[in-house]
Amino acid sequence: MKKECINELHVKLPSYSSNESAARAIVSAFLAGLNPTVDEISDIRCAVSEAVTNSIVHGYRDIIGQINIDIKLYSDRSLKIDIRDRGRGIDDIELALRPMYTTDPEGERSGMGFTVIENFMDSMIVKSTPGRGTKVSMKKKLSALPVRK
């Protein structure tokens, strides 16, 4: 049986650092009715936070741009979350995916954002074009709803 999209949400936020917490709250609100486990909601919130922070800090360094968040829920309880910016882009995705690599070594960046996303989600794909932006696509399947007795 083919899974179908049963709900979706599309949000556009300016790349202000204060909107990172808004992105987490929006994703939490979207998931609330699905009865996710505490670990699932925590993992997803953290992954979204990392992707949005990357857009703010690296994609739009020193300028304000727009971050697009697209969330889709499928009939098999799987989620697809895309975080997209039209910022600087990534010159070398393979290098950027390495743990501890950062384009901001003088800042307070650990270079672990993509590693965190990979560990908390079932899958992650990063597509980027220098000068045109980056899209981080993440997937996670939520556990089955508990059977009520």
Side-chain angles (χ1 to χ4, degrees):
M1 182 169 119
K2 183 181 176 190
K3 64 181 179 179
E4 67 176 290
C5 180
I6 59 173
N7 195 7
E8 58 188 297
L9 179 67
H10 307 280
V11 178
K12 297 176 183 181
L13 299 170
S15 63
Y16 298 118
S17 61
S18 59
N19 282 340
E20 179 271 330
S21 61
R24 279 195 323 251
I26 289 165
V27 170
S28 295
F30 183 83
L31 296 174
L34 302 173
N35 196 25
T37 67
V38 171
D39 287 341
E40 287 169 337
I41 197 133
S42 179
D43 290 353
I44 294 165
R45 285 171 48 96
C46 188
V48 166
S49 177
E50 290 295 336
V52 169
T53 297
N54 278 349
S55 289
I56 293 168
V57 171
H58 303 291
Y60 291 121
R61 186 178 300 164
D62 302 322
I63 63 169
I64 300 300
Q66 180 175 286
I67 299 170
N68 296 307
I69 303 171
D70 299 312
I71 308 167
K72 290 188 176 184
L73 171 66
Y74 295 92
S75 54
D76 67 348
R77 291 184 53 85
S78 62
L79 294 169
K80 181 174 188 242
I81 304 172
D82 292 332
I83 310 291
R84 186 176 35 113
D85 67 59
R86 300 280 183 219
R88 303 167 71 114
I90 301 171
D91 292 324
D92 185 339
I93 292 174
E94 187 176 322
L95 180 61
L97 292 174
R98 288 186 192 161
M100 308 302 287
Y101 175 78
T102 181
T103 60
D104 187 17
E106 288 82 34
E108 296 180 18
R109 304 288 153 215
S110 67
M112 295 298 290
F114 287 135
T115 302
V116 167
I117 295 169
E118 286 179 317
N119 283 299
F120 287 155
M121 301 299 281
D122 295 335
S123 68
M124 176 191 74
I125 297 172
V126 178
K127 294 183 179 179
S128 189
T129 303
R132 299 194 63 199
T134 300
K135 178 180 173 184
V136 178
S137 296
M138 306 172 276
K139 292 182 180 178
K140 187 163 188 88
K141 186 167 183 180
L142 299 176
S143 57
L145 289 171
V147 176
R148 296 182 184 224
K149 294 182 181 183

